[in-house]
Amino acid sequence: MKALVLSGGAGTRLRPITHTSAKQLVPVANKPVLFYGLEAIAEAGITEVGVIVGDTAQEIREAVGDGSQFGIKVTYLQQDAPLGLAHAVLIAREFLGEDDFVMYLGDNFIVGGITGLVDGFREDRPEAQILLTKVPNPTSFGVAELDGAGRVVALEEKPKEPKSDLALVGVYLFTPAIHEAVRSIEPSWRGELEITHAIQWLIDQQRDVRSTTISGYWKDTGNVADMLEVNRSVLETVEPCRDGSVDEATEIIGRVRIEKGARVTGSRIVGPAIIGADTVISDAYIGPFTSVSEGCRIEDSEIEYSIVLRGSSLTGVRRVEASLIGRDVEITPAPRNPSAHRLVLGDHSKVQISS
């Protein structure tokens, strides 16, 4: 069995972060979200992995390499434009051959992995198996309609009037039957080949399409709110350690991971939290559910329930909450005279100012 991991896409909902970084590489608990998916695939015993890449191909290649760090062998497959999930299957035809495969969206996060799901699929081998979960806003997802026996009878992509609250999770399992399906459908109104249309084609052809409704934790990390929530969930499981230095004037409460080379002085850190390698924390408060990446500096500032990316600094800043701070960002107070906010913001930025 092989895996097909989708790591293209523009990441428009995470702009401006994704203007300069692939959305699949935005860190959760200081590890790119893509890595969690690759680890789950390896744990399921799958070693041959095709990674679909787009405009951010070079960055993905540099981060993932040949896959040996995960115990897998990676083949990169270029998708020149984001033309849909079924299009990704189409261009991966040669790589996939006649093998069964799992298709995994690289910006999705599933607690507990996929090993049980893969084992069950290997045993029963339906032509397709989809994961479903109940969501409060089904109009934002692909939605499945089940009959009284729980069989999948219809799928619809982002319906205006959903027939259920069961959304498709970004993990699919297929036999080679899917290749005929993706060749048999037409592009949607969005100009994309939709995987929901391909699965619907299998249903219409009376093929065996099954579903599993998961009750565990799943998130599409495509926006800031979901990214922070996933970060919170992962930090709940963090193992505390103090590989960096912590002075006697610092108070550490709860599960806090301080990585090698980090220096903490005169501060208060309330876990769960992670302080990245070579980061300096001085006279600061780091609140729960905060991940600070490597090489950062936080001085005389307060921050909680946030993600701070590599090389950024906060100096003399009052409370910062529920924020995603990009790489090499500098946050400082405005001068008292003139009393004014001074901002340099990229496209699609969002700022809330407490005056």
Side-chain angles (χ1 to χ4, degrees), residues 224-245:
V224 173
D226 286 342
M227 183 68 71
L228 291 172
E229 173 60 18
V230 170
N231 189 64
R232 182 203 63 77
S233 177
V234 176
L235 286 177
E236 291 275 21
T237 66
V238 70
E239 291 295 328
C241 75
R242 294 193 189 182
D243 291 338
S245 65

Side-chain angles (χ1 to χ4, degrees), residues 7 31-32 40-41 90 111 140 164 243 258 269 293 308 333:
S7 297
K31 181 166 68 176
I41 287 166
L90 203 61
V111 169
S140 300
S164 82
D243 291 338
I258 300 174
I269 304 179
S293 295
V308 183

Side-chain angles (χ1 to χ4, degrees), residues 8 21 39 48 51 60 102 207 230 277 281 293 340:
S21 178
E39 289 170 354
E48 291 188 69
V51 177
I60 297 290
V102 55
R207 304 293 183 90
V230 170
I281 309 292
S293 295

Side-chain angles (χ1 to χ4, degrees), residues 10-323:
T12 54
R13 292 178 295 159
L14 275 176
R15 288 177 178 170
I17 301 294
T18 49
H19 280 312
T20 55
S21 178
K23 64 178 179 177
Q24 297 84 7
L25 296 182
V26 176
V28 168
N30 285 7
K31 181 166 68 176
V33 66
L34 173 62
F35 287 14
Y36 293 95
L38 295 177
E39 289 170 354
I41 287 166
E43 288 168 4
I46 299 171
T47 58
E48 291 188 69
V49 180
V51 177
I52 300 287
V53 292
D55 292 342
T56 59
Q58 186 59 35
E59 190 180 11
I60 297 290
R61 285 174 182 267
E62 290 175 357
V64 175
D66 63 1
S68 58
Q69 62 179 307
F70 308 101
I72 59 177
K73 179 183 177 183
V74 168
T75 299
Y76 292 97
L77 306 166
Q78 184 72 41
Q79 188 179 35
D80 293 331
L83 297 175
L85 305 188
H87 181 262
V89 175
L90 203 61
I91 65 175
R93 182 69 178 91
E94 183 178 349
F95 166 77
L96 294 169
E98 294 303 313
D99 292 312
D100 297 349
F101 67 98
V102 55
M103 184 166 74
Y104 198 115
L105 273 59
D107 60 351
N108 275 226
F109 186 91
I110 300 175
V111 169
I114 60 171
T115 300
L117 179 74
V118 169
D119 289 346
F121 181 82
R122 281 174 165 147
E123 184 174 338
D124 298 335
R125 290 196 74 235
E127 270 98 351
Q129 184 157 348
I130 59 177
L131 261 68
L132 304 174
T133 190
K134 290 188 176 184
V135 295
N137 54 335
T139 56
S140 300
F141 300 93
V143 173
E145 181 184 358
L146 308 182
D147 64 13
R151 291 184 294 263
V152 184
V153 295
L155 300 174
E156 190 173 3
E157 188 66 31
K158 297 181 180 178
K160 292 182 179 179
E161 297 181 3
K163 295 181 180 178
S164 82
D165 60 354
L166 293 171
L168 276 76
V169 174
V171 177
Y172 309 80
L173 297 107
F174 297 115
T175 68
I178 193 64
H179 297 302
E180 182 182 3
V182 298
R183 291 195 304 270
S184 301
I185 61 174
E186 298 293 330
S188 67
W189 62 270
R190 300 192 300 175
E192 297 184 6
L193 289 175
E194 310 283 359
I195 198 67
T196 47
H197 292 178
I199 300 171
Q200 184 66 53
W201 186 90
L202 290 174
I203 295 170
D204 295 342
Q205 298 296 314
Q206 306 299 312
R207 304 293 183 90
D208 187 4
V209 176
R210 303 184 189 180
S211 69
T212 299
T213 301
I214 62 172
S215 57
Y217 187 84
W218 165 78
K219 277 289 184 183
D220 170 3
T221 60
N223 62 51
V224 173
D226 286 342
M227 183 68 71
L228 291 172
E229 173 60 18
V230 170
N231 189 64
R232 182 203 63 77
S233 177
V234 176
L235 286 177
E236 291 275 21
T237 66
V238 70
E239 291 295 328
C241 75
R242 294 193 189 182
D243 291 338
S245 65
V246 180
D247 74 351
E248 294 182 356
T250 293
E251 184 180 15
I252 304 291
I253 301 172
R255 296 190 307 279
V256 176
R257 183 178 184 87
I258 300 174
E259 298 181 340
K260 187 176 180 179
R263 290 180 289 127
V264 184
T265 60
S267 297
R268 187 169 189 257
I269 304 179
V270 180
I274 293 181
I275 308 301
D278 301 317
T279 281
V280 175
I281 309 292
S282 176
D283 300 318
Y285 167 75
I286 311 296
F289 309 117
T290 301
S291 296
V292 182
S293 295
E294 69 272 15
C296 294
R297 181 175 290 271
I298 300 179
E299 298 178 333
D300 190 27
S301 299
E302 299 181 2
I303 184 170
E304 71 174 48
Y305 192 64
S306 296
I307 299 173
V308 183
L309 273 58
R310 184 184 69 236
S312 291
S313 66
L314 286 77
T315 305
V317 178
R318 291 188 301 169
R319 195 80 160 189
V320 174
E321 293 182 357
S323 298

